[in-house]
Amino acid sequence: INSNISISNYENLNPFFMKKIYFKNLFLTGVATSTFLIAGCSQKVTCDSELLSNKNSLKTPLLLDINSSSQTSRHPIGFAFDGNNKGDSFWETTASYPHIIGLNYSKETIIDSYSLTSGLDEPKRMPSGWDLEASCDGKNWSKIDSRRNINSWEADATSKFDTSIDKIMKRKSKGFKYYRFRFVSPIYHYENPHQIMRIYDISLKKR
């Protein structure tokens, strides 16, 4: 099922209206499965489009698209970004690791930190290892955070993580339009023998 959304002339639309359109479509139709190239860290990066001036563009970047490499029909990726970490509002996948989330913004943005939240049930389904990467074009990726052996998740807990995005950005850079999470390893525990992954909430803090 494909729910990737292409919105033209987004500069003229109210951002809250656009988010309402996006999430309405997201929950009605599901999320597309996407395949990404995998790349390691690069040197200092500046996106070419940062050099262009557009006085009509929105000051606040909009999250235009969220997609995942896998999900269950009852718990699509959108549930991890709806701001609700209660009840059945979580993203879950029973596929094999790794699991990838792709994020596409309307313009360059800088992600300084992010947080992951577990729920009241099944904290052992949280991931233990992942990478967060940034890209100008959605093809060439630079790593801005990497975590391993995060095995001590408690029920209904939120953990914040800082990125190292400044290390890969050139001076006066405005950031990146594309980001992706690569969840690479589960918590190996008898309570989750099938290595199901479940995340109740993902929050990104922009500069």
mmCIF file of all heavy atoms in Angstrom, residues 48-81:
data_model
loop_
_atom_site.group_PDB
_atom_site.id
_atom_site.type_symbol
_atom_site.label_atom_id
_atom_site.label_comp_id
_atom_site.label_asym_id
_atom_site.label_seq_id
_atom_site.Cartn_x
_atom_site.Cartn_y
_atom_site.Cartn_z
ATOM 1 N N ASP A 48 23.173 21.536 -2.097
ATOM 2 C CA ASP A 48 23.195 22.568 -3.126
ATOM 3 C C ASP A 48 22.005 23.509 -3.012
ATOM 4 O O ASP A 48 22.122 24.707 -3.259
ATOM 5 C CB ASP A 48 23.194 21.923 -4.521
ATOM 6 C CG ASP A 48 24.498 21.188 -4.794
ATOM 7 O OD1 ASP A 48 25.494 21.500 -4.122
ATOM 8 O OD2 ASP A 48 24.510 20.314 -5.674
ATOM 9 N N SER A 49 20.843 22.980 -2.646
ATOM 10 C CA SER A 49 19.641 23.804 -2.601
ATOM 11 C C SER A 49 19.699 24.852 -1.520
ATOM 12 O O SER A 49 18.910 25.788 -1.498
ATOM 13 C CB SER A 49 18.400 22.933 -2.406
ATOM 14 O OG SER A 49 18.508 22.191 -1.210
ATOM 15 N N GLU A 50 20.656 24.732 -0.590
ATOM 16 C CA GLU A 50 20.791 25.746 0.448
ATOM 17 C C GLU A 50 21.254 27.071 -0.147
ATOM 18 O O GLU A 50 21.077 28.120 0.455
ATOM 19 C CB GLU A 50 21.793 25.295 1.501
ATOM 20 C CG GLU A 50 21.347 24.084 2.283
ATOM 21 C CD GLU A 50 22.468 23.556 3.162
ATOM 22 O OE1 GLU A 50 23.496 24.241 3.249
ATOM 23 O OE2 GLU A 50 22.310 22.487 3.748
ATOM 24 N N LEU A 51 21.864 27.014 -1.337
ATOM 25 C CA LEU A 51 22.381 28.219 -1.947
ATOM 26 C C LEU A 51 21.281 29.012 -2.629
ATOM 27 O O LEU A 51 21.490 30.156 -3.023
ATOM 28 C CB LEU A 51 23.463 27.847 -2.980
ATOM 29 C CG LEU A 51 24.633 27.016 -2.418
ATOM 30 C CD1 LEU A 51 25.596 26.671 -3.542
ATOM 31 C CD2 LEU A 51 25.349 27.781 -1.315
ATOM 32 N N LEU A 52 20.110 28.396 -2.812
ATOM 33 C CA LEU A 52 19.003 29.055 -3.476
ATOM 34 C C LEU A 52 18.196 29.862 -2.474
ATOM 35 O O LEU A 52 17.971 29.439 -1.346
ATOM 36 C CB LEU A 52 18.103 28.016 -4.152
ATOM 37 C CG LEU A 52 18.799 27.115 -5.180
ATOM 38 C CD1 LEU A 52 17.794 26.108 -5.719
ATOM 39 C CD2 LEU A 52 19.382 27.946 -6.315
ATOM 40 N N SER A 53 17.719 31.016 -2.880
ATOM 41 C CA SER A 53 16.913 31.871 -2.011
ATOM 42 C C SER A 53 15.467 31.811 -2.455
ATOM 43 O O SER A 53 15.160 31.988 -3.621
ATOM 44 C CB SER A 53 17.428 33.308 -2.074
ATOM 45 O OG SER A 53 16.582 34.162 -1.329
ATOM 46 N N ASN A 54 14.560 31.547 -1.522
ATOM 47 C CA ASN A 54 13.135 31.486 -1.826
ATOM 48 C C ASN A 54 12.381 32.223 -0.734
ATOM 49 O O ASN A 54 12.138 31.703 0.335
ATOM 50 C CB ASN A 54 12.660 30.030 -1.909
ATOM 51 C CG ASN A 54 11.213 29.944 -2.347
ATOM 52 O OD1 ASN A 54 10.520 30.954 -2.453
ATOM 53 N ND2 ASN A 54 10.757 28.730 -2.598
ATOM 54 N N LYS A 55 12.014 33.461 -1.003
ATOM 55 C CA LYS A 55 11.387 34.295 0.023
ATOM 56 C C LYS A 55 9.987 33.796 0.389
ATOM 57 O O LYS A 55 9.435 34.202 1.407
ATOM 58 C CB LYS A 55 11.318 35.739 -0.453
ATOM 59 C CG LYS A 55 10.461 35.940 -1.715
ATOM 60 C CD LYS A 55 10.468 37.397 -2.129
ATOM 61 C CE LYS A 55 9.641 37.621 -3.389
ATOM 62 N NZ LYS A 55 9.648 39.042 -3.803
ATOM 63 N N ASN A 56 9.404 32.931 -0.452
ATOM 64 C CA ASN A 56 8.060 32.439 -0.187
ATOM 65 C C ASN A 56 8.046 31.139 0.609
ATOM 66 O O ASN A 56 6.988 30.649 0.963
ATOM 67 C CB ASN A 56 7.311 32.221 -1.508
ATOM 68 C CG ASN A 56 7.083 33.523 -2.247
ATOM 69 O OD1 ASN A 56 6.791 34.542 -1.629
ATOM 70 N ND2 ASN A 56 7.221 33.488 -3.563
ATOM 71 N N SER A 57 9.220 30.570 0.872
ATOM 72 C CA SER A 57 9.265 29.284 1.552
ATOM 73 C C SER A 57 8.907 29.438 3.026
ATOM 74 O O SER A 57 9.094 30.494 3.624
ATOM 75 C CB SER A 57 10.658 28.653 1.423
ATOM 76 O OG SER A 57 11.609 29.458 2.060
ATOM 77 N N LEU A 58 8.370 28.364 3.608
ATOM 78 C CA LEU A 58 7.989 28.385 5.020
ATOM 79 C C LEU A 58 9.222 28.451 5.904
ATOM 80 O O LEU A 58 10.243 27.849 5.610
ATOM 81 C CB LEU A 58 7.181 27.130 5.343
ATOM 82 C CG LEU A 58 5.804 27.043 4.679
ATOM 83 C CD1 LEU A 58 5.249 25.638 4.869
ATOM 84 C CD2 LEU A 58 4.855 28.055 5.268
ATOM 85 N N LYS A 59 9.123 29.181 7.000
ATOM 86 C CA LYS A 59 10.240 29.271 7.927
ATOM 87 C C LYS A 59 10.459 27.954 8.653
ATOM 88 O O LYS A 59 11.580 27.587 8.967
ATOM 89 C CB LYS A 59 9.993 30.404 8.924
ATOM 90 C CG LYS A 59 10.013 31.793 8.309
ATOM 91 C CD LYS A 59 9.815 32.857 9.369
ATOM 92 C CE LYS A 59 9.870 34.255 8.755
ATOM 93 N NZ LYS A 59 9.686 35.312 9.779
ATOM 94 N N THR A 60 9.384 27.244 8.952
ATOM 95 C CA THR A 60 9.488 25.978 9.663
ATOM 96 C C THR A 60 9.376 24.819 8.672
ATOM 97 O O THR A 60 8.373 24.694 7.982
ATOM 98 C CB THR A 60 8.376 25.849 10.717
ATOM 99 O OG1 THR A 60 8.471 26.942 11.620
ATOM 100 C CG2 THR A 60 8.498 24.535 11.470
ATOM 101 N N PRO A 61 10.394 23.949 8.579
ATOM 102 C CA PRO A 61 10.319 22.812 7.659
ATOM 103 C C PRO A 61 9.177 21.873 8.048
ATOM 104 O O PRO A 61 8.954 21.597 9.223
ATOM 105 C CB PRO A 61 11.678 22.129 7.828
ATOM 106 C CG PRO A 61 12.559 23.163 8.429
ATOM 107 C CD PRO A 61 11.667 24.013 9.270
ATOM 108 N N LEU A 62 8.473 21.375 7.046
ATOM 109 C CA LEU A 62 7.392 20.436 7.277
ATOM 110 C C LEU A 62 7.874 19.021 7.009
ATOM 111 O O LEU A 62 8.638 18.780 6.077
ATOM 112 C CB LEU A 62 6.212 20.744 6.351
ATOM 113 C CG LEU A 62 5.533 22.105 6.524
ATOM 114 C CD1 LEU A 62 4.457 22.278 5.470
ATOM 115 C CD2 LEU A 62 4.948 22.233 7.907
ATOM 116 N N LEU A 63 7.411 18.078 7.810
ATOM 117 C CA LEU A 63 7.703 16.670 7.572
ATOM 118 C C LEU A 63 6.679 16.157 6.564
ATOM 119 O O LEU A 63 5.538 15.870 6.897
ATOM 120 C CB LEU A 63 7.627 15.887 8.883
ATOM 121 C CG LEU A 63 7.983 14.400 8.817
ATOM 122 C CD1 LEU A 63 9.357 14.199 8.195
ATOM 123 C CD2 LEU A 63 7.945 13.799 10.211
ATOM 124 N N LEU A 64 7.094 16.073 5.287
ATOM 125 C CA LEU A 64 6.173 15.746 4.211
ATOM 126 C C LEU A 64 5.922 14.255 4.062
ATOM 127 O O LEU A 64 4.860 13.846 3.584
ATOM 128 C CB LEU A 64 6.720 16.283 2.880
ATOM 129 C CG LEU A 64 6.843 17.803 2.757
ATOM 130 C CD1 LEU A 64 7.359 18.162 1.371
ATOM 131 C CD2 LEU A 64 5.517 18.485 3.035
ATOM 132 N N ASP A 65 6.886 13.431 4.442
ATOM 133 C CA ASP A 65 6.754 12.001 4.167
ATOM 134 C C ASP A 65 7.449 11.185 5.252
ATOM 135 O O ASP A 65 8.545 11.520 5.680
ATOM 136 C CB ASP A 65 7.357 11.664 2.800
ATOM 137 C CG ASP A 65 7.251 10.189 2.481
ATOM 138 O OD1 ASP A 65 6.122 9.703 2.319
ATOM 139 O OD2 ASP A 65 8.293 9.509 2.409
ATOM 140 N N ILE A 66 6.789 10.135 5.697
ATOM 141 C CA ILE A 66 7.367 9.148 6.606
ATOM 142 C C ILE A 66 7.128 7.774 5.991
ATOM 143 O O ILE A 66 5.992 7.465 5.617
ATOM 144 C CB ILE A 66 6.706 9.181 8.000
ATOM 145 C CG1 ILE A 66 6.710 10.584 8.588
ATOM 146 C CG2 ILE A 66 7.417 8.219 8.947
ATOM 147 C CD1 ILE A 66 5.888 10.714 9.854
ATOM 148 N N ASN A 67 8.169 6.978 5.853
ATOM 149 C CA ASN A 67 7.980 5.633 5.318
ATOM 150 C C ASN A 67 8.855 4.645 6.061
ATOM 151 O O ASN A 67 9.842 5.023 6.687
ATOM 152 C CB ASN A 67 8.245 5.592 3.813
ATOM 153 C CG ASN A 67 9.581 6.206 3.458
ATOM 154 O OD1 ASN A 67 10.626 5.645 3.757
ATOM 155 N ND2 ASN A 67 9.562 7.383 2.831
ATOM 156 N N SER A 68 8.462 3.387 6.027
ATOM 157 C CA SER A 68 9.199 2.356 6.756
ATOM 158 C C SER A 68 9.396 1.138 5.875
ATOM 159 O O SER A 68 8.633 0.881 4.949
ATOM 160 C CB SER A 68 8.437 1.950 8.030
ATOM 161 O OG SER A 68 7.191 1.377 7.703
ATOM 162 N N SER A 69 10.447 0.392 6.191
ATOM 163 C CA SER A 69 10.747 -0.817 5.421
ATOM 164 C C SER A 69 9.837 -1.973 5.799
ATOM 165 O O SER A 69 9.682 -2.925 5.036
ATOM 166 C CB SER A 69 12.211 -1.224 5.622
ATOM 167 O OG SER A 69 12.457 -1.481 7.004
ATOM 168 N N SER A 70 9.220 -1.899 6.986
ATOM 169 C CA SER A 70 8.321 -2.970 7.429
ATOM 170 C C SER A 70 7.412 -2.461 8.531
ATOM 171 O O SER A 70 7.753 -1.518 9.241
ATOM 172 C CB SER A 70 9.123 -4.187 7.924
ATOM 173 O OG SER A 70 9.970 -3.812 8.998
ATOM 174 N N GLN A 71 6.266 -3.105 8.665
ATOM 175 C CA GLN A 71 5.287 -2.738 9.675
ATOM 176 C C GLN A 71 4.186 -3.798 9.671
ATOM 177 O O GLN A 71 4.063 -4.565 8.718
ATOM 178 C CB GLN A 71 4.680 -1.377 9.367
ATOM 179 C CG GLN A 71 3.905 -1.367 8.048
ATOM 180 C CD GLN A 71 3.429 0.014 7.659
ATOM 181 O OE1 GLN A 71 3.670 0.977 8.351
ATOM 182 N NE2 GLN A 71 2.750 0.119 6.543
ATOM 183 N N THR A 72 3.393 -3.838 10.713
ATOM 184 C CA THR A 72 2.211 -4.686 10.713
ATOM 185 C C THR A 72 1.017 -3.852 10.260
ATOM 186 O O THR A 72 1.032 -2.621 10.343
ATOM 187 C CB THR A 72 1.927 -5.278 12.101
ATOM 188 O OG1 THR A 72 1.663 -4.207 13.022
ATOM 189 C CG2 THR A 72 3.122 -6.088 12.604
ATOM 190 N N SER A 73 -0.016 -4.513 9.796
ATOM 191 C CA SER A 73 -1.181 -3.793 9.274
ATOM 192 C C SER A 73 -1.900 -3.006 10.370
ATOM 193 O O SER A 73 -2.467 -1.942 10.109
ATOM 194 C CB SER A 73 -2.152 -4.774 8.619
ATOM 195 O OG SER A 73 -2.584 -5.757 9.550
ATOM 196 N N ARG A 74 -1.857 -3.491 11.598
ATOM 197 C CA ARG A 74 -2.555 -2.815 12.697
ATOM 198 C C ARG A 74 -1.729 -1.708 13.334
ATOM 199 O O ARG A 74 -2.281 -0.839 14.016
ATOM 200 C CB ARG A 74 -2.929 -3.836 13.782
ATOM 201 C CG ARG A 74 -4.007 -4.822 13.386
ATOM 202 C CD ARG A 74 -4.384 -5.672 14.579
ATOM 203 N NE ARG A 74 -4.829 -4.854 15.709
ATOM 204 C CZ ARG A 74 -4.956 -5.310 16.956
ATOM 205 N NH1 ARG A 74 -4.626 -6.565 17.241
ATOM 206 N NH2 ARG A 74 -5.390 -4.511 17.921
ATOM 207 N N HIS A 75 -0.413 -1.739 13.102
ATOM 208 C CA HIS A 75 0.463 -0.773 13.768
ATOM 209 C C HIS A 75 1.467 -0.196 12.770
ATOM 210 O O HIS A 75 2.659 -0.511 12.805
ATOM 211 C CB HIS A 75 1.179 -1.436 14.938
ATOM 212 C CG HIS A 75 0.234 -2.005 15.955
ATOM 213 N ND1 HIS A 75 -0.485 -1.217 16.823
ATOM 214 C CD2 HIS A 75 -0.136 -3.289 16.212
ATOM 215 C CE1 HIS A 75 -1.251 -1.983 17.594
ATOM 216 N NE2 HIS A 75 -1.056 -3.229 17.245
ATOM 217 N N PRO A 76 0.995 0.694 11.870
ATOM 218 C CA PRO A 76 1.879 1.296 10.861
ATOM 219 C C PRO A 76 2.813 2.333 11.468
ATOM 220 O O PRO A 76 2.658 2.763 12.611
ATOM 221 C CB PRO A 76 0.887 1.938 9.878
ATOM 222 C CG PRO A 76 -0.305 2.254 10.722
ATOM 223 C CD PRO A 76 -0.399 1.129 11.723
ATOM 224 N N ILE A 77 3.748 2.778 10.660
ATOM 225 C CA ILE A 77 4.788 3.679 11.124
ATOM 226 C C ILE A 77 4.229 4.999 11.633
ATOM 227 O O ILE A 77 4.784 5.630 12.541
ATOM 228 C CB ILE A 77 5.833 3.927 10.004
ATOM 229 C CG1 ILE A 77 6.987 4.791 10.516
ATOM 230 C CG2 ILE A 77 5.183 4.551 8.778
ATOM 231 C CD1 ILE A 77 7.712 4.209 11.699
ATOM 232 N N GLY A 78 3.113 5.453 11.110
ATOM 233 C CA GLY A 78 2.540 6.722 11.543
ATOM 234 C C GLY A 78 2.219 6.781 13.016
ATOM 235 O O GLY A 78 2.236 7.863 13.615
ATOM 236 N N PHE A 79 1.949 5.630 13.621
ATOM 237 C CA PHE A 79 1.629 5.599 15.047
ATOM 238 C C PHE A 79 2.816 5.988 15.914
ATOM 239 O O PHE A 79 2.641 6.345 17.078
ATOM 240 C CB PHE A 79 1.131 4.206 15.443
ATOM 241 C CG PHE A 79 -0.275 3.917 15.000
ATOM 242 C CD1 PHE A 79 -0.858 2.694 15.269
ATOM 243 C CD2 PHE A 79 -1.025 4.848 14.315
ATOM 244 C CE1 PHE A 79 -2.159 2.410 14.868
ATOM 245 C CE2 PHE A 79 -2.325 4.582 13.896
ATOM 246 C CZ PHE A 79 -2.892 3.366 14.184
ATOM 247 N N ALA A 80 4.031 5.907 15.378
ATOM 248 C CA ALA A 80 5.214 6.301 16.148
ATOM 249 C C ALA A 80 5.431 7.807 16.127
ATOM 250 O O ALA A 80 6.264 8.320 16.872
ATOM 251 C CB ALA A 80 6.457 5.601 15.599
ATOM 252 N N PHE A 81 4.670 8.520 15.295
ATOM 253 C CA PHE A 81 4.855 9.965 15.154
ATOM 254 C C PHE A 81 3.574 10.743 15.449
ATOM 255 O O PHE A 81 3.469 11.910 15.071
ATOM 256 C CB PHE A 81 5.337 10.288 13.732
ATOM 257 C CG PHE A 81 6.723 9.799 13.443
ATOM 258 C CD1 PHE A 81 6.932 8.508 12.956
ATOM 259 C CD2 PHE A 81 7.838 10.605 13.663
ATOM 260 C CE1 PHE A 81 8.207 8.047 12.686
ATOM 261 C CE2 PHE A 81 9.111 10.151 13.396
ATOM 262 C CZ PHE A 81 9.305 8.863 12.909
#
